[in-house]
């Protein structure tokens, strides 16, 4: 009964003219996001890393190593439409959740939880990874089961424990809304709203979340005075063949995009998460997960697939606790060969943390919408931001 009432309220809101934009029509931005250059009406990343050699066969990633290919070439309007939908709870089954519920700008586009909270307060199975630089990734989800952003977003949208929507309701909600058909016309040339176009627009926005202007990046591109001595020493520990951090968290993406079985402990009382094995069926990948980027890692605590570690210091210390020290009794995991016993000192662990904090950069944070076309409150946006609604820019 409660859910039926929520759907009735949602259907009424869909048909209501949006009060915030009553003074005029919603107009999508025709300007590329910060860090992107326009080229024949589409947006392409502009970065010094584009001048360097490819990341392929680059070992542990030198200071002047190129990035993986980025999903780019979207129009400014497609990116802006995706931005609005990303924060709009109309995309959930009951109008209470948005993509930004689990990927909050203020928390490194993660949500600060070990297990994300979905529809009706249900717990997801794993933590929400950061979306910064997600457009560079070849595999998505902790268990790497999706190979594109479009494929990935179908998971949370239609999961009964995440956003709880259906394809039919999603289409109907957007098609019957007073504003979205015109916004799709601005983004795609006609007002037809299809699932493919929904996925394309959200992909366009997510791929624009680029973080490449940290103090580390300034250092890597020749401005050496931006790092202090501890941070430089921390970088040297990070890249050393003792700690071996860079073998998996390879600069400049700070992930090699591979699967690693590291034997991280689960929260108290939780059974071992089978990880990639649950997708592939390969016993050698039991407990394996995709290596996450360390970009903006300072902002996205807690850490690991289950949020097992509250601080960067705890997460770094795990790797010097002894190979397989946290593997549950009776489990025989095929631990990654980079996971060994470096015996790092407390001082070296502190230096590692200092270095990882140099990877923080939110200079290309997108504009947070003060209103969304559904008329519902945008999710993950500070209340003070929503006092003066905008018209979509």
């Amino acid at each position: 009964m409660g859910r039926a009432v929520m759907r009735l309220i949602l259907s009424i809101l869909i048909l209501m003219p949006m009060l915030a934009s009553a003074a005029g029509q919603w107009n999508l931005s025709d300007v590329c996001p910060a860090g992107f250059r326009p080229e024949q009406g589409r947006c392409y990343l502009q970065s010094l890393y584009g001048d360097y050699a490819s990341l392929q066969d680059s070992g542990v990633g030198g200071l002047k190593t190129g990035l993986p290919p980025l999903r780019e070439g979207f129009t400014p309007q497609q990116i802006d439409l995706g931005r609005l939908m990303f924060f709009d709870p109309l995309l959930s089954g009951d109008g209470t959740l948005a993509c930004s519920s689990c990927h909050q700008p203020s928390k490194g586009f993660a949500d600060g939880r070990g297990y994300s909270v979905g529809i009706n307060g249900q717990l997801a199975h794993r933590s929400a990874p950061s979306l910064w630089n997600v457009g560079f990734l070849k595999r998505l989800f902790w268990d790497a089961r999706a190979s594109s952003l479009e494929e990935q977003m179908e998971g949370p949208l239609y999961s009964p424990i995440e956003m709880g929507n259906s394809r039919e309701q999603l289409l109907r909600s957007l098609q019957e809304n007073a504003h979205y058909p015109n916004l799709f016309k601005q983004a795609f040339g006609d007002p037809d709203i299809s699932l493919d176009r929904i996925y394309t627009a959200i992909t366009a926005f997510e791929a624009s979340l680029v973080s490449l202007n940290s103090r580390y990046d300034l250092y890597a591109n020749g401005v050496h005075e931006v790092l202090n001595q501890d941070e430089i020493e921390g970088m040297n520990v990070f890249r050393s063949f003792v700690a071996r951090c860079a073998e998996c968290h390879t600069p400049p993406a700070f992930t090699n995009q591979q699967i690693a079985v590291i034997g991280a402990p689960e929260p108290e009382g939780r059974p071992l998460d089978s990880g990639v094995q649950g997708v592939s069926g390969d016993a050698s990948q039991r407990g394996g997960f995709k290596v996450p980027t360390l970009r903006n890692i300072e902002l996205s605590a807690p850490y690991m697939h289950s949020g097992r570690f509250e601080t960067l210091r705890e997460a770094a210390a795990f790797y010097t606790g002894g190979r397989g020290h946290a593997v549950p009794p009776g489990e025989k995991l095929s631990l990654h060969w980079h996971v060994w016993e470096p015996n790092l000192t407390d001082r070296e662990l502190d230096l590692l943390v200092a270095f990882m904090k140099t990877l923080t950069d939110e200079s290309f944070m997108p504009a947070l919408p003060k209103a969304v076309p559904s008329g519902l409150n945008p999710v993950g946006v500070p209340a003070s931001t929503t006092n003066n609604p905008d018209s979509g820019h």
Side-chain angles (χ1 to χ4, degrees):
M1 183 68 179
R3 187 159 183 173
V5 171
M6 281 299 302
R7 285 186 172 174
L8 176 61
I9 293 171
L10 179 59
S11 65
I12 293 171
L13 283 168
I14 290 169
L15 297 174
M16 285 176 60
M18 182 181 156
L19 297 178
S21 62
Q25 176 179 298
W26 282 75
N27 293 305
L28 296 176
S29 174
D30 58 0
V31 177
C32 289
F36 287 77
R37 71 180 191 282
E39 187 175 313
Q40 297 184 335
R42 295 183 177 271
C43 304
Y44 295 89
L45 181 66
Q46 203 163 251
S47 168
L48 287 175
Y49 288 110
D51 297 332
Y52 306 145
S54 169
L55 185 67
Q56 187 175 1
D57 300 322
S58 62
V60 295
L63 294 181
K64 296 189 176 181
T65 301
L67 288 158
L70 174 68
R71 288 293 305 275
E72 56 185 347
F74 300 101
T75 68
Q77 293 84 357
Q78 289 167 351
I79 295 169
D80 204 33
L81 173 59
R83 178 182 70 98
L84 294 175
M85 288 195 291
F86 184 87
F87 291 95
D88 197 335
L90 182 66
L91 273 67
S92 66
D94 65 358
T96 64
L97 300 170
C99 305
S100 53
S101 298
C102 292
H103 300 287
Q104 300 173 24
S106 63
K107 297 178 180 176
F109 280 96
D111 64 3
R113 298 175 178 270
Y115 295 93
S116 298
V117 177
I119 195 167
N120 298 322
Q122 298 177 87
L123 287 182
H125 300 306
R126 297 178 183 130
S127 67
S130 169
L131 293 186
W132 282 113
N133 291 347
V134 71
F136 292 106
L137 302 184
K138 299 174 184 176
R139 301 176 180 183
L140 289 308
F141 291 114
W142 280 103
D143 57 16
R145 66 184 182 272
S147 58
S148 71
L149 282 166
E150 292 89 339
E151 181 185 358
Q152 180 276 330
M153 70 184 64
E154 292 190 68
L157 278 171
Y158 310 127
S159 167
I161 65 171
E162 293 188 58
M163 293 178 72
N165 213 337
S166 67
R167 291 166 177 81
E168 297 75 19
Q169 182 179 326
L170 175 61
L171 281 173
R172 184 170 60 250
S173 298
L174 292 170
Q175 290 166 349
E176 294 178 355
N177 177 264
H179 305 285
Y180 273 116
N182 179 54
L183 293 175
F184 273 78
K185 182 178 181 180
Q186 293 178 46
F188 293 100
D190 63 67
D192 181 52
I193 298 178
S194 66
L195 292 176
D196 284 346
R197 285 182 170 182
I198 295 169
Y199 304 155
T200 295
I202 298 175
T203 291
F205 170 68
E206 292 180 344
S208 75
L209 300 175
V210 171
S211 177
L212 295 172
N213 292 322
S214 67
R215 289 191 297 119
Y216 164 81
D217 295 299
L218 291 173
Y219 182 93
N221 289 295
V223 188
H224 291 173
E225 61 269 22
V226 297
L227 298 190
N228 63 37
Q229 190 58 38
D230 281 356
E231 292 162 344
I232 293 172
E233 289 183 29
M235 180 180 67
N236 291 336
V237 174
F238 184 90
R239 291 173 47 80
S240 72
F241 285 101
V242 175
R244 295 182 174 178
C245 307
E247 307 238 355
C248 288
H249 298 287
T250 310
F254 284 89
T255 172
N256 61 6
Q257 309 208 45
Q258 296 177 9
I259 304 302
V261 182
I262 65 172
E266 302 290 343
E268 195 69 34
R270 288 266 184 170
L272 179 76
D273 187 331
S274 63
V276 177
Q277 183 197 27
V279 176
S280 68
D282 185 344
S284 71
Q285 294 182 319
R286 182 168 178 76
F289 297 96
K290 183 170 62 70
V291 175
T293 180
L294 297 184
R295 292 282 183 172
N296 283 320
I297 193 68
E298 178 184 11
L299 307 176
S300 58
Y303 305 108
M304 304 297 182
H305 65 276
S306 63
R308 179 64 175 81
F309 300 121
E310 293 290 336
T311 67
L312 276 176
R313 182 62 158 70
E314 288 179 277
F318 161 76
Y319 291 95
T320 197
R323 181 177 172 85
H325 71 277
V327 175
E331 290 281 358
K332 294 183 179 179
L333 303 184
S334 301
L335 295 174
H336 197 289
W337 69 276
H338 291 162
V339 178
W340 68 309
E341 300 185 18
N343 296 318
L344 299 180
T345 65
D346 286 343
R347 166 71 174 159
E348 288 169 324
L349 290 172
D350 290 338
L351 292 173
L352 279 176
V353 171
F355 169 66
M356 286 189 281
K357 290 182 177 181
T358 71
L359 301 176
T360 301
D361 163 48
E362 297 180 291
S363 58
F364 291 164
M365 176 70 74
L368 305 185
K370 300 170 184 176
V372 287
S374 67
L376 300 168
N377 289 326
V379 176
V381 178
S384 59
T385 308
T386 62
N387 290 338
N388 299 301
D390 64 9
S391 60
H393 287 280

